[in-house]
Amino acid sequence: MAVETGTQQESVAGRVWTVRLDPHGRLSDGVVRLSCSRPSCADQRIPGGAAAGRRAAIEHVNLHLAGIRAGGGPRSGVWCACRAVDCAWHAPAAPAGRREGARPAAGAVRCGGPVVLTAYADRSGRLWRIAETCARCAAATPGCRVLDTAAPGGASGTAGGTRTAPGRQAGSRENTGTPAAAAAPRAVTSMTPTFSDQAPPPPSSSPPPSVPAVPLPPPPSPASAVSSTPSPPSPSPAPASAPAPEPAQAPAPVTPLSRPRVYSPRPGPLRTKPWGRIAQREVPYGLGPETLRTELVELGDAFRAYQRSAEPDLVVLAELHDRKARAFRLWADASDDDSLRHDAARAEEAARTTREMQANRTGQFLGDGSVVKRMLTRGQGVLARVVVEHVAAHAPCPEPEARLVTLMLTLRAAQAGTGNVTGQDLTGWLQDDAVRVLRQLVDAGWLHLPCTPDEALASRPENATPLTVPELLPGHPRAFRLGKVNRSRLSGWAQKVVGDRKLRKKKLGPATRLLALYTAAHARPDGHLGPQDEAGLPLDRAALFCGLPPERIAQHAELLATADWLTEAATADGRLHGRLTDRVLSLGGRL
């Protein structure tokens, strides 16, 4: 607050405009809510995701800025808005016992300087703030930008104004001890300067005593500054008496600027390098080498251009992530910042994931140039092997027929422990023994049905039979959990393997179908069985899943070869070797 001679003015806090972005509804809807702290601004619902919300928020902020400029800009003589909240915008925490409007602790940095209009945007792109603050708080707030400065208020001064010596122009820079004071223009006032964090002085009936200002000595003339040699003597001698002193000249009138600009002088040449941002980080102006800085600036522009593209190109996106990983590692080495190394590792992972997505979309080329449309992704292939191992270890009955039904019903009830089954499903898995196998599973307590096995076999798709697997209910510990999409995809994959037309045409039994599913789940992208470092599959583990003795695996592998499922099938050293044929390569688990 500022006080005029013989009058008292009421202090007013600086104005604040706060614009926020928050999610609205479900994240999949892509709708954000834009809210403004001004009561006259109603909340808005912005479709199109966070990018559209940020554009709308910036337009809203610019609308307020236009209104502030039309209303005369920032006001002089107001309290600092940052001080009104105990300087929480730039201080880590307010000292204990501090309250709004209270004096700061001894030794604390006070508010000061002219009133400025500032704009602040957080790094996450969810909050924007316009505020009337003092110059010191603006300089101390990270990410704060000064847009305008209040005009000098004459005798009333500004919140935190300073006195200007006669003979100096307002806005001239001189060293006052603080960067904010050095950058702020001087306001013309005849009073003691006041600060926004100080309580207003009591009203006085008599005007305060004025302190006469001592004019500064005039600067030396250019001629005397250039040459320091004495001038030659004058032809006419000077009189013996000392000359009379010249009368003191009146100080030059000070012409205050109507709208001074606040700027912080930077050492060195003017900024000529391009400005850039990448991953919510501003590329430092002095970052070296220059090739690294240029790469970061161009990479940020490339990411923004990709986001504006109409169609996604995963190949281009993977290359951008690779470039980002390399550039961020060099940036981390230059600045010794561990967060940059973390971002580089995330970029490498994003590049790998993007290439896997591209491989899942386009498939794999065969020798004849055809494309394999994979049914399972790499992650879904891992889940398929987890389910296979779980069924091999926890099947309630050792027979191949019971293991086949156990596997299929496990995939039906894997998400919540419940599912549906029809008579057509049961007869497709087991032609003659479906009722007997269902009764075995129910008697063992592994399966619960609301009806008899005969009624379940007679159910149709419009009135499917509900089933419950107690060990897969949410309240029980489970070895795996499948979401809705993965459960549906794995169930469809198993149904396609078990119901393969050539397997049905050859009338192969449940044990052979289980071996076909086991080989498909443990096949590499090129179709060969087993991992890269261990060619082939262990016979004992394959036999455990199929409910067969290990020595009978070779017989069933030959049956799969006759059905054009396996090629080069052979058993040696206790392992099953072979490769999926091109006909069923799309069903491979991509080991």
Side-chain angles (χ1 to χ4, degrees), residues 406-461:
T406 299
L407 173 67
M408 303 306 293
L409 295 185
T410 296
L411 292 175
R412 293 289 178 96
Q415 184 179 3
T418 59
N420 296 318
V421 67
T422 64
Q424 183 179 358
D425 296 331
L426 295 172
T427 54
W429 303 335
L430 300 175
Q431 296 181 357
D432 302 325
D433 295 338
V435 175
R436 180 182 61 85
V437 171
L438 285 180
R439 187 174 291 110
Q440 286 182 353
L441 297 178
V442 171
D443 293 342
W446 185 86
L447 178 65
H448 290 174
L449 293 175
C451 58
T452 63
D454 295 294
E455 293 175 348
L457 188 63
S459 61
R460 301 179 61 84

Side-chain angles (χ1 to χ4, degrees), residues 201-494:
S204 176
S205 57
S206 61
S210 60
V211 180
V214 179
L216 297 176
S221 62
S224 61
V226 172
S227 174
S228 61
T229 58
S231 59
S234 174
S236 61
S241 60
E246 297 180 1
Q249 297 180 357
V254 178
T255 305
L257 300 177
S258 61
R259 188 72 65 184
R261 295 183 60 186
V262 176
Y263 69 96
S264 299
R266 294 185 176 91
L270 295 178
R271 184 169 183 166
T272 57
K273 300 178 182 179
W275 176 88
R277 289 182 66 88
I278 179 172
Q280 300 296 328
R281 296 174 182 267
E282 183 173 354
V283 182
Y285 183 72
L287 180 63
E290 185 63 26
T291 55
L292 174 59
R293 188 182 187 280
T294 303
E295 171 68 8
L296 290 171
V297 173
E298 294 179 353
L299 194 56
D301 295 339
F303 269 107
R304 286 183 286 273
Y306 178 82
Q307 292 173 355
R308 292 190 297 267
S309 59
E311 294 293 335
D313 191 340
L314 298 183
V315 176
V316 175
L317 183 59
E319 294 176 355
L320 291 179
H321 283 304
D322 284 336
R323 290 176 56 189
K324 178 182 175 182
R326 292 192 297 269
F328 269 55
R329 289 199 180 278
L330 293 176
W331 191 2
D333 294 339
S335 59
D336 196 17
D337 189 350
D338 291 336
S339 64
L340 292 173
R341 295 187 178 91
H342 176 67
D343 289 348
R346 292 181 58 188
E348 291 178 350
E349 182 65 25
R352 287 193 295 268
T353 304
T354 304
R355 288 191 171 90
E356 289 182 1
M357 293 171 58
Q358 177 67 9
N360 293 333
R361 294 180 60 183
T362 59
Q364 177 185 358
F365 287 94
L366 299 177
D368 56 356
S370 59
V371 178
V372 179
K373 296 294 184 180
R374 300 287 180 175
M375 189 171 184
L376 298 181
T377 64
R378 290 186 181 272
Q380 291 170 350
V382 173
L383 294 176
R385 289 184 286 275
V386 171
V387 175
V388 166
E389 297 298 332
H390 174 79
V391 172
H394 298 86
C397 302
E399 300 176 356
E401 295 82 0
R403 288 180 178 271
L404 178 59
V405 176
T406 299
L407 173 67
M408 303 306 293
L409 295 185
T410 296
L411 292 175
R412 293 289 178 96
Q415 184 179 3
T418 59
N420 296 318
V421 67
T422 64
Q424 183 179 358
D425 296 331
L426 295 172
T427 54
W429 303 335
L430 300 175
Q431 296 181 357
D432 302 325
D433 295 338
V435 175
R436 180 182 61 85
V437 171
L438 285 180
R439 187 174 291 110
Q440 286 182 353
L441 297 178
V442 171
D443 293 342
W446 185 86
L447 178 65
H448 290 174
L449 293 175
C451 58
T452 63
D454 295 294
E455 293 175 348
L457 188 63
S459 61
R460 301 179 61 84
E462 57 269 16
N463 58 346
T465 301
L467 61 94
T468 303
V469 180
E471 69 176 20
L472 298 180
L473 291 174
H476 294 72
R478 290 188 287 175
F480 60 90
R481 294 182 182 273
L482 299 182
K484 181 179 179 180
V485 175
N486 289 333
R487 189 217 64 80
S488 178
R489 181 62 62 88
L490 291 181
S491 181
W493 166 77

Side-chain angles (χ1 to χ4, degrees), residues 83 86-87 94-100 102-105 108 197:
R83 179 64 186 87
D86 286 339
C87 293
R98 289 281 300 276
R99 294 184 179 179
E100 184 175 347
R103 289 179 178 270
D197 62 340

